[in-house]
Amino acid sequence: MTWRQATREEIYAYYAEEFPRYLDDLPEFITATGPKQYAVAFRESHPVRKDEVPAKDFIRRDTWQTDASGDRTTPEFDDFEDVVEFIRHPARNDPLGRSEFALADPEVLEQPDPRPDAVYYALDHWERPWVLLVDIDAKEIARDRADEMVSAAVDDQDDDALLDAAGILDAAPEGYPYAFEDVDRAIEYGFEVRDIFEDDFDAEETIVVYSGQGVHVYLLDTDPAHRYDEQSREVLNDLLLETYDIPIDPVVTADRRRVARLPYSLHADVCSIVQPIESSAFDVRSATPEVIDE
């Protein structure tokens, strides 16, 4: 199939019928109360209860209530099924409850219950050191490839013109700011990063996750000296960017406030399941959910 956006009905069907099958396969650190937040993005903004507050197309929700010192008091989700219900019906099951800043109840609106275009979890974590994740995006690979292909006469500030001149917008999947070959190259880079982690850092626990438009590479070992603090992450960024020339997003590695796509969630813009993969030969077109009508 060529990529397209999932419909509202397909998104709901995925989280109601298919997503629950993968819950036992989630990485062990992704629990109802481990990540400090879960987040959901919507295709269209949804109102909140308080009239003066703008409608939201992206919300973060804490997994714990905390006291004035920042210590945990009460969990917002009793188990992961509560997280799943929040994903399925974000307004109906908003952890903010009846707070003025919660999403408005769709039963009192003409607007329907929002559906998640994307589901995220926080890399900052209550029960382990901050999760170390390296992000490699096909869009950046395509942009660099277009730079090499196209004459300097094209305005390098206009990405669409550059990608169009390079023929990337017309390449499958048509209309996206990358071609399938750029996604495949991102996956190859991801396994190169995994090998660097294992060879240079003696890492024993790594994961490569197909993110829908690239890959996320996890290093889950705990560095005994620094616990992969900000300074050590900056060194890692420099190593990957400058020594190995791998086009990572350094901000994702170094910013503990970042969120990442939840494994086995649906990337609704491309109808793909975000998932751990074992080989650089992974065919991204195999990630289409069963509920998607091809």
Side-chain angles (χ1 to χ4, degrees):
M1 67 173 289
T2 186
W3 282 357
R4 62 170 175 81
Q5 281 191 330
T7 66
R8 280 179 51 83
E9 293 74 20
E10 289 168 336
I11 292 169
Y12 179 75
Y14 177 73
Y15 287 109
E17 302 169 19
E18 204 164 336
F19 180 65
R21 302 180 206 164
Y22 299 116
L23 297 184
D24 289 341
D25 298 324
L26 285 169
E28 56 83 22
F29 61 88
I30 298 180
T31 63
T33 55
K36 291 192 174 181
Q37 293 180 326
Y38 283 97
V40 179
F42 308 126
R43 193 169 298 169
E44 297 178 357
S45 298
H46 189 82
V48 298
R49 290 176 179 272
K50 188 174 176 62
D51 290 340
E52 296 81 6
V53 176
K56 304 294 184 182
D57 62 6
F58 179 82
I59 58 170
R60 291 174 179 253
R61 294 296 182 258
D62 293 339
T63 56
W64 284 85
Q65 296 177 22
T66 56
D67 60 22
S69 300
D71 295 324
R72 289 178 284 178
T73 56
T74 308
E76 294 288 4
F77 304 105
D78 290 333
D79 53 38
F80 207 82
E81 184 57 35
D82 288 346
V83 179
V84 175
E85 287 303 312
F86 168 56
I87 293 169
R88 288 176 183 153
H89 299 287
R92 188 187 307 170
N93 297 300
D94 192 334
L96 292 183
R98 302 191 64 81
S99 160
E100 289 186 320
F101 296 98
L103 295 174
D105 187 340
E107 291 186 1
V108 302
L109 302 171
E110 294 182 3
Q111 188 167 337
D113 197 18
R115 297 286 185 246
D117 248 26
V119 179
Y120 305 91
Y121 74 97
L123 297 178
D124 207 3
H125 203 278
W126 284 110
E127 298 163 2
R128 56 161 292 135
W130 170 21
V131 177
L132 197 159
L133 178 149
V134 170
D135 179 36
I136 304 173
D137 195 325
K139 294 189 290 292
E140 294 304 315
I141 294 171
R143 179 64 170 73
D144 291 344
R145 185 162 66 88
D147 262 337
E148 295 176 358
M149 295 170 61
V150 176
S151 161
V154 175
D155 181 1
D156 63 5
Q157 298 303 308
D158 188 337
D159 281 359
D160 284 345
L162 185 65
L163 295 170
D164 187 46
I168 291 173
L169 295 181
D170 292 329
E174 292 83 357
Y176 288 85
Y178 47 78
F180 277 129
E181 68 179 270
D182 300 303
V183 183
D184 291 341
R185 185 67 183 110
I187 292 172
E188 291 172 358
Y189 276 130
F191 282 93
E192 290 178 28
V193 171
R194 186 196 67 175
D195 290 344
I196 292 167
F197 286 166
E198 293 177 353
D199 295 342
D200 291 10
F201 294 84
D202 294 325
E204 296 181 356
E205 191 175 1
T206 60
I207 308 174
V208 180
V209 173
Y210 164 60
S211 65
Q213 298 182 121
V215 292
H216 296 153
V217 189
Y218 291 82
L219 197 171
L220 298 174
D221 297 51
T222 299
D223 169 29
H226 306 290
R227 297 171 68 85
Y228 290 118
D229 59 10
E230 287 86 347
Q231 184 175 359
S232 58
R233 287 163 186 261
E234 294 291 354
V235 171
L236 175 61
N237 278 338
D238 291 344
L239 175 72
L240 295 176
L241 287 165
E242 298 174 10
T243 302
Y244 289 100
D245 198 27
I246 294 176
I248 68 169
D249 181 344
V251 177
V252 173
T253 312
D255 181 2
R256 72 183 311 131
R257 283 281 299 165
R258 301 294 289 200
V259 295
R261 286 186 183 269
L262 180 68
Y264 301 106
S265 64
L266 178 66
H267 192 310
D269 286 341
V270 296
C271 290
S272 279
I273 301 172
V274 175
Q275 59 188 278
I277 57 177
E278 299 297 332
S279 167
S280 59
F282 176 75
D283 181 358
V284 300
R285 281 155 284 203
S286 71
T288 305
E290 296 172 8
V291 299
I292 298 298
D293 182 5
E294 299 189 39

